[in-house]
Structure formats: structure tokens, C-alpha cells
Amino acid sequence: MVRGLYAAYTGMLNEQKRLDVVSNNIANAATVGFKKDGVTNQSFDDVLAVKIKDGSEAYVDRKIGTMNLGVKLGENYTDYTQSSLRETGNTYDMAIEGNGFFKVAVKNSEGKETTKYTRAGNFTMNKDGYIVDSSGNHLLGENGYVQVPTSAASVSIDSEGNVYADGTLTDKIQLADFEDYDYLKKYGDTMYDTLDGATEKDATGSLRQGYTEQSNVQSVNEMVNMIAITRSYEANQKVIQTVDSMLDKTVNSVAKV
């Protein structure tokens, strides 16, 4: 009976964490380049239901019963599905059609610079002519930071990433892709960092100037998931209330007889 309390508790805790993921997806439904997250569930491993270091029995590592002890989060994952492109007409807005990521140089609080990867292509040009993202991080090209002359009357970027200022080639935007996206982890909402074992390869996607890739979050689906999570949370609450009522009757009524 007490095991039922614990199983319901783990169920509530699991649904709360799932709700956090869904809420973050909904909050970023309008964020350029955002890729939605998901989570899987699994029951606790059998090893967590084993009696250990108990001198009262000859068999120290005996399994406790045949039931598992509840549920836990399996893994968090990111859905990298291509989203729709929205035309903005802005010169430095870019979208990747197909596979690949923009490479941007990000500095931490200590001034150390590292390369991050993103699908968010809402770039602008700063006063020095460098192409930067909304946080001021520099877009990387073959020559380092991508820069165009501030005096250029027109800037065009072709599908291969070549940057032309007044018809003159100034740089080429570097795109990167990876053999296995499982070796990427999120850095903020729209950037990704690499884990040990990540293998970079040439990107096959093409650039579209004047477009941005939208979030791949489907708000209606996420709202439906939120309702389902809420119902599951309430069901676990009722289990706890039922078990508590049974324990109360066992202690205060049956015990008296």
C-alpha cells in the first residue's frame, strides 16, 4: 500500500517535469530557429527494487516483490525537423533550407570564445560592418568574422553562402552539420554546443536571404499534451488520496478491532 504512495508520487514528479518541457515549447512557439524538446518515460530499473545490506536474511541482494517502484524520465530529446520559412525582406536575415547550422562565435563571462551552432538566422549588421545575431555574437565565415563594408550600397548572399558587397565577393558563410545530432546539447534556446564524440561534416542545406526559419512548435499539439499531462497528474493525486484514506481506516478502524 505504501508502495502505491511512492509510485503515485513518482508519477506526479514525472508529469511535473514533462509539463516544464511542454511549457518551454509553448513559450518559444514564436522564437526564430527554435526546435521543440520532448521527453520519454520509463519505469525504474529493477536494481532500484532490490534489498541490500540487510543482515536479517541470508540472501542479501533479494528482489523486493515483483512490482517496480514507479516511473522516471527516460531522456530529453530535441526534434530537429525543418520548420516553415517566413519572408522578411531584411538583407541579413537568412534561413537554411535543408540540413546544417550557422556557426557563431560566443564569448563567456570570462571572455573565452567558443563556437556554437544555431538555426536562428535573424542577423543584423553592427556599426563596424560585422554580421551579428540578436545577442551580438559574430557570424563565422571562411575568413573568420563575416564583415561587409559599411559603405556598401547593396549586399547579396547566394544559396551557397557567398557574400557580395556591391557585386564584390567579401566572404563565404560557413555552415556545419553533424553525423549524429545526439552529440549536440542545447545552449540557451536556439544554440547548440557539441559533446565529446561529435563528428562535424559539410552541410547540404542551402541559404535563403531575406527569410527566417520559424519555430517547429505546433501550439495546438502542445496544448493537447498539456491537458493530458494535467489529467495524469490529477489521477496520481487521486491515487495518493485513496491510499491515504485506506491507511487511515487501517490504523484507526481495523486496528481497534
Side-chain angles (χ1 to χ4, degrees):
M1 193 178 298
V2 177
R3 178 180 290 176
L5 282 174
Y6 186 78
Y9 156 74
T10 59
M12 292 174 65
L13 186 62
N14 180 75
E15 297 304 328
Q16 182 178 350
K17 292 179 180 178
R18 288 183 61 204
L19 183 61
D20 291 340
V21 173
V22 171
S23 299
N24 185 63
N25 287 341
I26 294 175
N28 287 282
T31 301
V32 173
F34 179 81
K35 299 300 181 184
K36 68 178 181 180
D37 294 318
V39 64
T40 61
N41 302 328
Q42 67 183 60
S43 62
F44 276 112
D45 301 330
D46 290 338
V47 71
L48 297 181
V50 172
K51 198 172 187 178
I52 61 175
K53 296 183 179 180
D54 185 358
S56 64
E57 292 186 284
Y59 299 99
V60 177
D61 295 339
R62 181 176 66 82
K63 290 187 176 182
I64 305 174
T66 57
M67 298 175 61
N68 64 55
L69 294 180
V71 66
K72 67 176 181 178
L73 290 179
E75 64 173 349
N76 286 76
Y77 63 90
T78 301
D79 182 358
Y80 294 96
T81 303
Q82 170 89 48
S83 186
S84 60
L85 306 185
R86 182 173 70 90
E87 185 175 5
T88 65
N90 297 328
T91 302
Y92 300 104
D93 279 346
M94 290 171 278
I96 301 174
E97 196 168 25
N99 296 328
F101 298 87
F102 295 107
K103 300 174 70 171
V104 293
V106 178
K107 289 185 179 180
N108 59 20
S109 58
E110 299 176 351
K112 182 180 179 181
E113 187 174 271
T114 56
T115 300
K116 308 299 181 187
Y117 305 87
T118 183
R119 296 277 297 192
N122 49 336
F123 296 103
T124 57
M125 183 181 73
N126 65 15
K127 62 182 181 61
D128 298 317
Y130 292 106
I131 299 179
V132 297
D133 64 12
S134 57
S135 299
N137 301 308
H138 292 82
L139 176 65
L140 294 177
E142 291 184 345
N143 301 325
Y145 297 164
V146 178
Q147 185 180 25
V148 296
T150 56
S151 59
S154 65
V155 175
S156 62
I157 304 170
D158 65 19
S159 61
E160 296 181 356
N162 294 305
V163 182
Y164 296 91
D166 293 333
T168 302
L169 179 65
T170 60
D171 204 344
K172 182 177 182 179
I173 296 171
Q174 282 190 329
L175 296 183
D177 200 8
F178 297 89
E179 295 286 351
D180 190 346
Y181 289 172
D182 288 339
Y183 290 96
L184 297 179
K185 67 174 182 179
K186 275 199 169 181
Y187 181 86
D189 288 327
T190 60
M191 288 189 183
Y192 302 90
D193 203 354
T194 55
L195 300 173
D196 291 340
T199 303
E200 187 174 328
K201 66 177 183 179
D202 293 334
T204 58
S206 58
L207 285 182
R208 296 283 299 275
Q209 184 182 17
Y211 289 80
T212 56
E213 181 182 2
Q214 303 307 292
S215 168
N216 67 350
V217 174
Q218 299 293 330
S219 298
V220 174
N221 292 341
E222 297 302 318
M223 291 298 295
V224 171
N225 290 337
M226 182 177 288
I227 293 172
I229 290 170
T230 303
R231 295 290 182 266
S232 180
Y233 189 90
E234 292 173 349
N236 282 291
Q237 280 183 313
K238 291 180 179 178
V239 170
I240 290 180
Q241 292 171 353
T242 301
V243 174
D244 180 64
S245 177
M246 293 172 65
L247 287 172
D248 178 67
K249 291 184 180 298
T250 300
V251 173
N252 296 313
S253 298
V254 178
K256 290 182 180 180
V257 178

